[in-house]
Amino acid sequence: MNDFVIADPGKCIGCRTCEVACVMAHQKEQALEKLTVENFSPRLRVVKTAKVTTPIQCHQCEDAPCAKACAAQAIVQQDQSVQVIQGRCIGCKACLMACPYGAMDLVLTAAPAQGESKVEALKCDLCRKQDGGPSCIKVCPTKALYEVRGSKMVEQMQNRRKRAALGVTSSR
Ligand code: SF4
Ligand code: SF4
């Protein structure tokens, strides 16, 4: 089972620190002063409504609709997560349309070597290329975000089933 990051809406205060950390984690220069409105493309988005404030991010779906919709095979299951192979993306937007959570984004990035812009399908990659795990989790001041390990989840489910079975047995 895939790993994924999940948020507790009850703890989120809508400060958007997670969005900034996400952008910085994926920025080559690692320079806050290089952030602009145009290049600010976080892979999770804080949504604020009258009733709830919470980050929305990729669920790392096991049978990922985005991957199934991609004709360029640019979205793959890899390292207990769903990853985009940017070199294959042609910017057709099929993945955006397919994702039920609105977790996929499409951005144009400068590609100076080619003297033109390059399109990228962006979603949470669980910061797999960074040391120490997802950056959003590390910076959240209220600890509203946490990572669920797929393997741990399976173990928890097995334990719950065992407890449920014991409960049934002892009530007899
Ligand atoms: S981008 Fe959407 S469809 Fe694709 S794995 Fe993430 S949540 Fe699932
Ligand atoms: S936008 Fe890119 S990743 Fe998304 S479906 Fe099209 S080719 Fe695949």
Side-chain angles (χ1 to χ4, degrees):
M1 204 177 278
N2 287 340
D3 304 333
F4 57 99
V5 170
I6 196 162
D8 179 349
K11 289 184 178 173
C12 179
I13 55 173
C15 65
R16 302 179 73 191
T17 311
C18 52
E19 290 188 358
V20 177
C22 179
V23 173
M24 290 306 296
H26 296 89
Q27 188 208 55
K28 283 194 193 90
E29 299 92 340
Q30 293 293 291
L32 261 177
E33 64 274 16
K34 299 251 174 172
L35 287 187
T36 63
V37 173
E38 291 73 30
N39 70 18
F40 189 76
S41 303
R43 294 158 186 243
L44 78 174
R45 297 277 182 172
V46 175
V47 175
K48 298 180 184 184
T49 73
K51 288 188 177 168
V52 72
T53 297
T54 188
I56 297 292
Q57 64 283 316
C58 174
H59 290 226
Q60 313 295 338
C61 306
E62 303 299 323
D63 191 10
C66 59
K68 286 207 268 189
C70 180
Q73 280 82 52
I75 304 173
V76 297
Q77 295 282 348
Q78 196 177 75
D79 194 14
Q80 280 79 56
S81 60
V82 176
Q83 298 288 338
V84 181
I85 301 172
Q86 299 299 347
R88 293 184 186 168
C89 177
I90 55 174
C92 71
K93 309 172 196 69
C95 54
L96 276 73
M97 302 294 289
C99 175
Y101 303 104
M104 186 69 85
D105 213 350
L106 203 72
V107 299
L108 283 177
T109 54
Q114 292 87 18
E116 56 191 32
S117 49
K118 163 85 181 81
V119 71
E120 287 188 336
L122 290 190
K123 63 178 267 313
C124 169
D125 61 359
L126 293 177
C127 287
R128 285 293 199 238
K129 291 185 181 154
Q130 283 81 32
D131 290 333
S135 302
C136 53
I137 294 175
K138 286 188 264 181
V139 300
C140 179
T142 61
K143 308 281 178 235
L145 286 155
Y146 57 98
E147 184 173 9
V148 179
R149 292 268 173 196
S151 53
K152 196 81 188 159
M153 201 172 170
V154 171
E155 199 182 300
Q156 278 173 353
M157 291 305 161
Q158 284 167 346
N159 287 338
R160 280 182 200 172
R161 282 181 205 127
K162 278 182 199 160
R163 283 202 300 274
L166 284 171
V168 169
T169 306
S170 59
S171 68
R172 275 181 186 163

